[in-house]
Amino acid sequence: MKLNFLKLFFIIALFSGPLLAQEGAVNIYKSEAIDRLIELKKEANKEINFNKIQIYSGPRAGAEQALSSFRSFYSDYSSEMKYETPNYKIWVGDFRTKIEADRALIAIKKKYPNAFIFTPKKS
């Protein structure tokens, strides 16, 4: 009796699977207005003046040392070395608002007390 019940159960389970399966297709329609909005956003972001923090200005050897030191202590922020005759400068971050830059400056000044916020000129 038990064996017949198990056979019946497995037969029902085997053939009921396809009955419960669902099939369907997903169609995604994207408006052309979305592409235009993305392009407008890119154009607007080009005009934004991001704030940066300068942590060093001086000879190249010192700039390289400051850059590697900064990256080891503050890996959350982007950093770059720029050359403006006659000095190399280490610039940190791309902060959209002054408040973001101020918060970062508080943390960075603990290790780099001469750091300051500025807005670079567009080239």
Side-chain angles (χ1 to χ4, degrees), residues 1-10:
M1 176 84 169
K2 223 180 205 185
L3 187 59
N4 288 337
F5 177 74
L6 284 174
K7 286 181 186 178
L8 182 63
F9 176 76
F10 284 118

Side-chain angles (χ1 to χ4, degrees), residues 50-84:
F50 291 102
N51 294 299
K52 291 188 174 281
I53 297 174
Q54 181 172 309
I55 62 168
Y56 178 84
S57 178
R60 182 181 179 111
E64 289 172 348
Q65 180 185 9
L67 183 61
S68 66
S69 170
F70 180 83
R71 286 182 176 163
S72 67
F73 284 109
Y74 302 99
S75 60
D76 295 343
Y77 302 111
S78 63
S79 56
E80 60 186 320
M81 184 182 343
K82 291 287 188 175
Y83 180 70
E84 290 184 359

Side-chain angles (χ1 to χ4, degrees), residues 81-100:
M81 184 182 343
K82 291 287 188 175
Y83 180 70
E84 290 184 359
T85 306
N87 294 316
Y88 288 87
K89 299 179 178 188
I90 304 300
W91 292 354
V92 174
D94 285 318
F95 305 102
R96 287 183 175 264
T97 64
K98 182 85 161 89
I99 294 240
E100 281 181 286

Side-chain angles (χ1 to χ4, degrees), residues 11-121:
I11 290 172
I12 291 172
L14 182 66
F15 290 109
S16 65
L19 296 176
L20 298 175
Q22 298 178 5
E23 291 184 24
V26 176
N27 295 320
I28 299 174
Y29 299 101
K30 184 174 90 170
S31 171
E32 291 178 16
I34 291 174
D35 291 330
R36 282 183 286 178
L37 284 174
I38 290 171
E39 289 302 317
L40 286 172
K41 175 101 171 120
K42 287 179 184 177
E43 297 278 329
N45 282 342
K46 287 180 185 175
E47 297 173 8
I48 293 176
N49 290 328
F50 291 102
N51 294 299
K52 291 188 174 281
I53 297 174
Q54 181 172 309
I55 62 168
Y56 178 84
S57 178
R60 182 181 179 111
E64 289 172 348
Q65 180 185 9
L67 183 61
S68 66
S69 170
F70 180 83
R71 286 182 176 163
S72 67
F73 284 109
Y74 302 99
S75 60
D76 295 343
Y77 302 111
S78 63
S79 56
E80 60 186 320
M81 184 182 343
K82 291 287 188 175
Y83 180 70
E84 290 184 359
T85 306
N87 294 316
Y88 288 87
K89 299 179 178 188
I90 304 300
W91 292 354
V92 174
D94 285 318
F95 305 102
R96 287 183 175 264
T97 64
K98 182 85 161 89
I99 294 240
E100 281 181 286
D102 285 337
R103 287 181 183 151
L105 183 64
I106 290 169
I108 291 170
K109 272 200 173 248
K110 292 175 184 173
K111 182 79 175 148
Y112 301 94
N114 294 329
F116 62 90
I117 298 172
F118 73 102
T119 305
K121 296 176 185 174

